[in-house]
Amino acid sequence: MKTARTWAVALTGVDGHLVEIEADVSNQTPGFKIVGLPDKALGEAAQRVHNAVTNAELELTRRRLTVNLSPASLPKHGSGFDLGIAISAVATGGVLDAASIARTVHIGELGLDGRVRPVPGVLPAVFAAARAGFERVIVPHANAAEAGLVPGMQVRAATTLAEVAMWHGADIAVSDVEPVAAAAATRPEAESLDLADVVGQEEAVEALIVAAAGGHHLLMSGPPGAGKTMLARRLPGILPPLTEDAALEVAAIRSLSGAAVDVLDDLPPLEAPHHSASVAALVGGGSRAARPGAIVRAHRGILFLDEAAEFSRVALDALRQPLESGSIEIDRAGFRARFPARFQLALATNPCPCGNYGVRGAECICPPIAIRRYSARLSGPLRDRIDIDLQVARVAASRATSPERSGITTADARDRVQKARARAVARWADTPWTLNAEVAGSHLRQGSLRLPLEVRAPLDRALERGLLTLRGYDRVLRLAWTMADLAGVERPGSDELGRALFLKKGLIS
């Protein structure tokens, strides 16, 4: 056999593209050449493959061997092509079943000793293979559980290159070797964070429930020690468990980030980057290969920015586009990568650098210009995209030392949130939306869902007086519908709209 073909997967963001690996032998000067727009790591595969094949007691041709990765215009990166390149190269000698390798996708890095090493991004790669109509994939032993999460795919876990060759018909003895292990899968610890531990913040707890029920973005402002971080850390606990499809999306992103994935976790993710995080750390990036940032890892969960005013303004404003679209595109000279980023944003900030501005009984030492600059870190356009702007005050000493606990537990709050979301899902059943926060504003301002004039009059006045933008107007409407879902009423009334106006802008109708 002069030419052999098999398949691998190139990842661009979360999108996988099938790559045909062609190996051809010619009578030119002996050598091993890989073409088809490989990056540096992939260009070095020739030496890894050569040593791995030799140590697996297989043979490579002594003539000119050219491996083409098609389509050539698609950028390819990483070492996950090693296994496919080695199999196609060995197959040119006629020792492997050509039909078998042609209907199999190979994913894995090769060590010099011939063992198959784990690679990141196996889950989205196997998904791409399944969508392309392939039924069999060979992956590293350490990635087998991850690949097995894709339904309907026959997954074979490879320990060595010799084992893979034997599966494709090679007459070779396979020795017993220890498979290369992956890093242990890390899962969020089930912290015992209960809303019942929150003392004296009934309004804030209720706002948290509203945010969870509708998927609304939340800004908490108040002095240090008021409980902002305590409240935000309890937000994931009152969210409903992820659906199977959402859990698969989250697992695919974790896989791309290099984390080991062996089971589907239905716990919504929580990302809390430090305020020194750069724009690339938040939204993702990379010069050769795009890596997901914090907003992507928070997909279907919570992105919590503590001390939000300490983040650079450029980094914060980079959140504006994904907050609207639910996705992020990273453009580089050689590629464009798209990542999902439908997250719920929770911000916590102090009123000034020292934290005491406006606090009764405390002295603020910040000059007025410092207070204005600190507040301006959260730009107007970003604040306009926040649904709930909550002022959190310190708890009085009498409440803090009281043995009484809050009457609302995390379990109670989660039950209310699930019932409210069920009502929203039923209402939006014939639309592309499932959460109130996702609904287009025009859909709420027009047609059968338009509120009566006497109900929306305070909202119209706020818009006419310039207290709200049209985007803010729509966000108040979405909040009002969430209030109605929590109250169990068919549509918002004056009470629900008034509470929504207060949560958005502190306005009382």
Side-chain angles (χ1 to χ4, degrees):
M1 185 188 300
K2 186 178 177 182
T3 302
R5 293 179 176 86
T6 189
W7 297 86
V9 180
L11 292 172
T12 306
V14 292
D15 300 320
H17 309 275
L18 268 293
V19 173
E20 186 179 23
I21 301 177
E22 300 175 292
D24 180 75
V25 176
S26 62
N27 292 321
Q28 301 174 27
T29 305
F32 192 158
K33 181 69 174 178
I34 298 175
V35 297
L37 208 58
D39 70 348
K40 183 172 178 59
L42 184 48
E44 294 171 345
Q47 192 60 52
R48 289 196 300 271
V49 168
H50 187 279
N51 286 54
V53 168
T54 301
N55 290 323
E57 298 183 359
L58 294 164
E59 289 187 6
L60 278 182
T61 179
R62 296 181 182 275
R63 294 187 289 170
R64 178 76 171 186
L65 178 62
T66 304
V67 174
N68 179 43
L69 308 177
S70 179
S73 59
L74 179 70
K76 304 162 191 77
H77 57 83
S79 55
F81 293 84
D82 288 5
L83 185 57
I85 292 172
I87 288 297
S88 62
V90 172
T92 58
V95 297
L96 303 183
D97 182 349
S100 175
I101 68 170
R103 61 173 182 264
T104 304
V105 176
H106 297 84
I107 303 169
E109 176 185 338
L110 288 177
L112 299 183
D113 58 356
R115 289 192 297 173
V116 184
R117 298 179 174 273
V119 292
V122 165
L123 183 57
V126 176
F127 261 119
R131 286 194 298 267
F134 286 88
E135 297 179 352
R136 184 169 64 186
V137 62
I138 296 178
V139 300
H141 184 278
N143 295 126
E146 180 179 337
L149 297 175
V150 180
M153 180 64 75
Q154 179 189 350
V155 177
R156 283 196 165 184
T159 301
T160 65
L161 175 60
E163 186 178 28
V164 179
M166 182 190 67
W167 290 338
H168 290 305
D171 184 12
I172 185 174
V174 178
S175 56
D176 227 2
V177 298
E178 186 73 21
V180 179
T186 57
R187 297 185 187 86
E189 293 292 335
E191 297 180 282
S192 56
L193 301 178
D194 200 291
L195 279 177
D197 298 329
V198 180
V199 177
Q201 296 286 9
E202 288 81 3
E203 289 184 3
V205 169
E206 190 62 28
L208 211 65
I209 294 172
V210 173
H216 302 289
H217 306 306
L218 172 70
L219 167 63
M220 292 179 287
S221 179
K228 304 184 297 294
T229 303
M230 183 180 187
L231 287 162
R233 290 285 181 183
R234 282 155 178 77
L235 181 55
I238 64 177
L239 295 177
L242 296 175
T243 63
E244 184 177 355
D245 288 344
L248 282 169
E249 292 176 11
V250 172
I253 291 168
R254 289 185 59 215
S255 176
L256 279 173
S257 302
V261 178
D262 54 5
V263 296
L264 288 183
D265 195 341
D266 64 359
L267 182 67
L270 171 66
E271 286 291 322
H274 190 260
H275 59 74
S276 61
S278 64
V279 175
L282 281 179
V283 304
S287 57
R288 296 183 178 272
R291 293 297 180 190
I295 67 171
V296 179
R297 297 193 300 272
H299 178 62
R300 301 294 183 184
I302 305 295
L303 177 67
F304 174 46
L305 303 185
D306 201 4
E307 304 295 343
E310 298 292 344
F311 283 78
S312 76
R313 181 163 178 169
V314 175
L316 289 173
D317 283 344
L319 302 176
R320 286 156 50 180
Q321 182 264 332
L323 281 175
E324 291 289 330
S325 64
S327 63
I328 183 73
E329 286 193 359
I330 298 172
D331 290 289
R332 295 294 183 268
F335 65 87
R336 169 181 290 183
R338 183 196 63 83
F339 292 103
R342 193 162 294 284
F343 58 92
Q344 193 173 343
L345 180 63
L347 303 172
T349 183
N350 295 328
C352 67
C354 77
N356 289 326
Y357 179 69
V359 180
R360 182 182 302 175
E363 181 185 359
C364 176
I365 60 173
C366 305
I369 190 171
I371 297 174
R372 288 197 297 271
R373 284 176 178 170
Y374 195 77
S375 177
R377 290 284 187 91
L378 300 180
S379 65
L382 178 61
R383 285 180 179 270
D384 203 30
R385 287 167 170 80
I386 302 298
D387 301 304
I388 299 174
D389 192 343
L390 183 67
Q391 300 296 318
V392 184
R394 285 176 179 159
V395 180
S398 58
R399 297 292 303 275
T401 57
S402 172
E404 295 182 5
R405 289 163 60 89
S406 171
I408 301 178
T409 65
T410 291
D412 295 336
R414 190 189 305 116
D415 183 61
R416 289 181 60 193
V417 168
Q418 289 177 330
K419 288 178 179 177
R421 287 201 175 193
R423 294 186 185 97
V425 168
R427 180 170 56 253
W428 310 123
D430 298 327
T431 72
W433 311 299
T434 56
L435 293 175
N436 292 330
E438 300 171 354
V439 181
S442 59
H443 198 76
L444 299 177
R445 284 184 267 112
Q446 303 165 3
S448 61
L449 295 178
R450 187 181 185 187
L451 299 182
L453 179 59
E454 62 272 15
V455 173
R456 69 173 194 275
L459 186 57
D460 292 343
R461 286 197 300 270
L463 181 62
E464 291 167 0
R465 293 163 57 193
L467 299 176
L468 284 174
T469 64
L470 186 57
R471 180 188 285 118
Y473 185 101
D474 292 340
R475 291 190 178 277
V476 173
L477 287 177
R478 294 175 186 132
L479 272 174
W481 279 99
T482 299
M483 299 286 189
D485 290 334
L486 285 168
V489 297
E490 186 176 347
R491 57 194 302 123
S494 298
D495 287 346
E496 287 77 25
L497 191 70
R499 291 175 59 204
L501 261 173
F502 180 77
L503 285 178
K504 172 62 180 171
K505 279 288 187 180
L507 302 176
I508 301 177
S509 58

